[in-house]
């Protein structure tokens, strides 16, 4: 296990898996007896959304990203020779490349797109950032990350090999100091990032609990309303059954009364007819 291999694996993975993978790698290094490697691995920072996007471009072999890095060298040469026309052409090409990358990534939010644009511009302006980006090890905004990587694998970038051969290596003591400062800075930024992650997680939990409590209250209120409505419905059904029973009884009594009325009218008519017959006939005495 070596630092560059671990870093490549971590930054090639998904951001959601970064913290767990980093912890596992640091633990493995520590178990292997390499405490320094474990510390350096643990100091690696989780990439932001913009950094992850740019890293993925590099690892996918983005031609636009490589051309932007090459443009930086050409722009610096044009500045040195005061080639105004060439400078304008290269600047125009830089803008085209940046727009093209952003155009091909329509799902980026405005804030993430601005960070990506800033990083791409910095790739052109700073050769150290270009090497960092092409290595796929960006963690946040490009210019904030360069000091973290004091060395990169030789295969990380095809640019500036000739220049690297001629550069003087810093003295061991100075190199050690720079590395210590970079590690301390990385540790601070990691601590800040972890604190920010915890704060976001806490806010997310609180929001979830708030919504869960609101849903529980709404359910309780809905349950009370349901019980109250069911009771009213039961009372209405009971009242309806009672009224139907009373209606049926009234209808039966009305039917009996109608039958009795009909019988009474028939009896009356019969009696009246008898009386009328006697009224139109003479008595027996008058007939003598």
């Amino acid at each position: 296990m070596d630092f560059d291999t671990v870093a490549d694996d971590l930054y090639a993975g998904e951001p959601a898996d970064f913290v767990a993978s980093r912890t596992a790698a640091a633990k493995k290094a520590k178990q292997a007896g390499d405490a320094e490697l474990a510390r350096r691995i643990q100091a690696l920072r989780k990439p932001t959304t913009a950094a992850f996007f740019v890293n993925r471009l590099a690892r996918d072999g983005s031609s636009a990203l490589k051309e932007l890095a090459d443009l930086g060298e050409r722009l610096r040469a044009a500045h040195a020779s005061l080639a105004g026309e060439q400078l304008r052409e290269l600047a125009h090409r830089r803008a085209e490349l940046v727009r093209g990358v952003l155009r091909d990534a329509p799902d980026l939010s405005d804030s993430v797109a601005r960070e990506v644009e800033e990083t791409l511009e910095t790739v052109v302006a700073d050769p150290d950032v270009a090497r960092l980006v092409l290595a796929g090890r960006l963690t946040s905004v490009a210019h904030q990350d360069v000091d973290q990587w004091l060395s990169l694998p030789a295969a990380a970038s095809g640019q500036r090999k000739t220049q690297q051969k001629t550069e003087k290596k810093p003295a061991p003591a100075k190199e050690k100091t720079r590395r210590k400062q970079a590690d301390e800075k990385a540790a601070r930024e990691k601590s800040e990032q972890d604190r920010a992650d915890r704060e976001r997680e806490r806010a997310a939990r609180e929001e979830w609990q708030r919504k869960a409590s609101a849903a529980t209250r709404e359910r309780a209120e809905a349950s009370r309303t349901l019980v109250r409505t069911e009771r009213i419905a039961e009372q209405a059904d009971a009242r309806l059954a009672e009224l139907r029973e009373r209606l049926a009884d009234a209808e039966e009594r009305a039917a009996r009364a109608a039958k009795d009325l009909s019988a009474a009218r028939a009896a009356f008519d019969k009696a009246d007819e008898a009386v009328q017959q006697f009224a139109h006939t003479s008595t027996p005495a008058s007939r003598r």
Side-chain angles (χ1 to χ4, degrees):
M1 175 185 291
D2 65 86
F3 178 74
D4 288 323
T5 300
V6 172
D8 283 337
D9 290 342
L10 287 175
Y11 288 110
E14 295 293 328
D17 302 328
F18 185 90
V19 174
S21 299
R22 180 187 63 194
T23 301
K27 182 178 179 181
K28 186 176 179 181
K30 190 172 183 179
Q31 290 173 344
D34 195 338
E36 175 64 16
L37 176 59
R39 184 187 62 78
R40 291 187 67 194
I41 292 173
Q42 195 61 44
L44 292 174
R45 291 170 292 174
K46 178 180 177 181
T48 63
T49 302
F52 173 73
F53 173 79
V54 176
N55 288 341
R56 181 58 57 87
L57 285 178
R59 295 180 185 280
D60 289 345
S62 169
S63 59
L65 205 57
K66 293 177 181 178
E67 187 175 348
L68 282 168
D70 180 62
L71 272 177
E73 298 291 343
R74 295 165 62 189
L75 276 167
R76 282 184 287 277
H79 272 292
S81 61
L82 301 178
E85 183 63 27
Q86 186 180 9
L87 278 173
R88 285 189 291 273
E89 291 176 357
L90 292 174
H92 179 71
R93 179 56 181 163
R94 176 188 60 192
E96 285 184 339
L97 289 170
V98 172
R99 285 196 302 269
V101 170
L102 296 176
R103 185 176 59 250
D104 293 338
D107 294 334
L108 296 180
S109 67
D110 291 343
S111 59
V112 173
R114 283 194 295 271
E115 285 189 28
V116 170
E117 182 178 4
E118 178 183 350
T119 300
L120 297 178
E121 294 284 356
T122 311
V123 166
V124 178
D126 190 329
D128 288 329
V129 172
R131 292 177 58 231
L132 172 68
V133 168
L134 291 176
R137 295 189 183 182
L138 192 64
T139 65
S140 56
V141 179
H143 59 75
Q144 297 176 353
D145 288 335
V146 174
D147 288 342
Q148 181 185 8
W149 304 101
L150 300 179
S151 64
L152 290 173
S157 174
Q159 285 85 12
R160 304 177 66 229
K161 289 186 178 179
T162 302
Q163 179 182 350
Q164 289 172 351
K165 291 179 180 179
T166 60
E167 288 176 345
K168 292 183 179 180
K169 294 183 178 179
K174 185 177 180 181
E175 176 69 14
K176 185 176 180 179
T177 301
R178 287 186 58 195
R179 176 167 295 183
K180 180 179 178 181
Q181 291 173 344
D183 288 344
E184 290 175 349
K185 178 182 178 182
R188 287 195 303 272
E189 292 181 349
K190 175 185 174 297
S191 177
E192 293 174 358
Q193 181 67 43
D194 290 345
R195 185 166 56 252
D197 290 343
R198 289 194 298 271
E199 180 62 24
R200 282 193 295 270
E201 290 173 359
R202 183 191 63 77
R205 283 196 304 271
E206 290 180 352
E207 179 66 11
W208 182 89
Q209 291 172 353
R210 185 187 66 77
K211 290 182 178 179
S213 298
T216 300
R217 289 194 299 272
E218 290 177 2
R219 184 181 182 278
E221 179 61 28
S223 177
R224 289 192 293 270
T225 301
L226 176 61
V227 170
R228 184 169 60 252
T229 306
E230 286 178 342
R231 185 168 60 251
I232 293 172
E234 289 173 357
Q235 293 173 350
D237 287 342
R239 179 62 175 164
L240 178 61
E242 178 187 356
L243 292 174
R244 283 175 175 169
E245 184 178 351
R246 292 175 61 184
L247 175 61
D249 182 61
E251 287 177 342
E252 183 179 352
R253 286 189 283 107
R256 287 198 304 269
K259 185 177 180 180
D260 292 345
L261 176 61
S262 178
R265 283 177 176 171
F268 174 80
D269 290 343
K270 185 176 181 180
D272 184 62
E273 183 180 357
V275 171
Q276 294 298 328
Q277 287 178 356
F278 279 108
H280 290 85
T281 59
S282 57
T283 64
S286 64
R287 285 200 300 271
R288 290 197 301 268

